[in-house]
Amino acid sequence: MQRDIQKLKAYFADAPADISLDDVDLERIPSHVSLIMDGTGRWAQARGLDRSRGHVAGVDSLREAVTTSVRLGIDVLSAYAFSTENWKRPQREVNLLMHLFATTLVKELPLFHQENVRLRFLGDLDALPKETRDVFQRGLDETAGYDGMTFALAVNYGSRAEIARAARLIAADVASGALAPEDVDVDAISGRLYTAGLPDPDLLIRTSGELRLSNYLLWQLAYTEMYVTDTLWPDFDRWEYLRGVRAFQGRGRRYGGVVSS
Ligand code: IPE
Ligand code: IPE
Ligand code: MG
């Protein structure tokens, strides 16, 4: 964890009445924060705009969430951008999202360079349009050497497909003799998920009030603390993020044991 206290204080100046940096314990910042960025369509519809305008507005919130995470010294930020089920949406909306992912990444790469952020993707990228895949690969290549925060974007991600893929990889290793059936344990599975090598999320934030996981990180969220806010994703800002961290710090994580930490 790296954190610049001066930058952190300046970033969280001008606090609203109900929350400030003083409300969180900087010694207990979650290591991995994960976001389900939901409610962008409703945000636009509430303004009489096309849903796509909400997706575009959501980019600003994600940029702010990345910066907030870096300032707080979060090790890993992950975010759900497109699910395996989102292909069911109208073709026009799907196309727009795929194009938005590509153009946004190109535009935001300087931020990753500036903040030493390493990029990673969760999901099956093979199914994405070439434009999007190429830009994602460029992002991976350009940030591979960075050792600050890891930013993992879930695109064409579905937890069930991810677990089925891990099972296939294990089956192949068992069939080839590389892995013994009795060695198929929790680590063997974790190591074959898209999140291999990342810590499980400590805090999951879902916007727009929906109380469900929508096929997101079902395995990895086993003991994650959840914070659901009614705020729609385009309205999510550093202060709402801080409210989530404050809620997280108020929880007693027991992992099935009896001692409250
Ligand atoms: C989440 O917002 C973003 C994506 C799934 C791409 P939605 O598009 O689901 O917005 P709502 O939930 O319909 O408001
Ligand atoms: C979850 O949101 C997926 C993303 C945020 C990318 P959805 O809007 O697709 O989820 P449901 O359909 O409300 O469960
Ligand atoms: Mg939604």
Side-chain angles (χ1 to χ4, degrees):
M1 161 166 332
Q2 307 162 343
R3 188 187 293 140
D4 181 324
I5 282 290
Q6 291 314 112
K7 278 191 187 169
L8 176 65
K9 287 192 171 156
Y11 186 74
F12 283 105
D14 302 321
D18 71 303
I19 181 91
S20 79
L21 192 58
D22 295 336
D23 294 320
V24 303
D25 179 353
L26 294 178
E27 300 304 313
R28 292 196 306 129
I29 294 295
S31 170
H32 180 173
V33 174
S34 197
L35 307 167
I36 299 182
M37 309 182 284
D38 200 11
T40 58
R42 276 165 282 169
W43 181 91
Q45 281 161 341
R47 287 162 177 72
L49 303 170
D50 189 74
R51 292 175 54 83
S52 60
R53 295 283 294 276
H55 302 324
V56 172
V59 171
D60 293 335
S61 300
L62 184 54
R63 183 190 313 107
E64 180 158 335
V66 168
T67 305
T68 304
S69 303
V70 170
R71 293 288 166 267
L72 285 173
I74 304 278
D75 297 311
V76 181
L77 175 71
S78 52
Y80 203 8
F82 192 90
S83 75
T84 48
E85 288 71 33
N86 287 146
W87 296 107
K88 289 187 245 173
R89 295 186 177 203
Q91 192 61 44
R92 192 179 154 269
E93 181 170 345
V94 169
N95 291 346
L96 179 126
L97 284 167
M98 291 300 151
H99 183 62
L100 185 64
F101 296 149
T103 52
T104 299
L105 187 57
V106 171
K107 239 194 298 180
E108 301 302 335
L109 268 174
L111 176 67
F112 298 143
H113 288 297
Q114 186 190 310
E115 302 291 355
N116 193 26
V117 173
R118 181 173 185 164
L119 186 62
R120 201 169 152 155
F121 292 97
L122 313 177
D124 177 11
L125 303 186
D126 291 343
L128 305 183
K130 185 168 168 12
E131 178 204 23
T132 311
R133 253 184 300 133
D134 288 351
V135 171
F136 282 9
Q137 190 57 50
R138 185 178 145 200
L140 289 171
D141 294 343
E142 286 193 22
T143 66
Y146 292 149
D147 61 358
M149 189 177 79
T150 295
F151 174 52
L153 191 65
V155 180
N156 191 23
Y157 174 86
S159 198
R160 289 179 168 179
E162 175 187 42
I163 292 168
R165 174 179 169 272
R168 275 197 304 280
L169 294 171
I170 286 171
D173 283 348
V174 169
S176 75
L179 186 68
E182 56 272 24
D183 290 333
V184 178
D185 56 11
V186 167
D187 288 342
I189 296 171
S190 293
R192 288 168 178 82
L193 300 176
Y194 292 120
T195 49
L198 298 178
D200 288 338
D202 300 291
L203 170 63
L204 173 74
I205 299 175
R206 183 166 187 155
T207 56
S208 89
E210 305 293 358
L211 298 171
R212 57 177 170 262
L213 293 177
S214 303
N215 201 14
Y216 187 54
L217 302 180
L218 303 181
W219 172 277
Q220 298 87 337
L221 295 173
Y223 274 103
T224 301
E225 298 297 330
M226 296 165 61
Y227 176 77
V228 177
T229 171
D230 286 335
T231 300
L232 303 175
W233 179 252
D235 292 326
F236 186 84
D237 62 8
R238 66 194 76 182
W239 306 108
E240 194 52 38
Y241 194 134
L242 215 51
R243 290 182 194 102
V245 172
R246 179 177 61 184
F248 165 82
Q249 293 184 341
R251 310 275 176 86
R253 297 183 87 185
R254 287 182 289 280
Y255 299 98
V258 290
V259 184
S260 177
S261 61

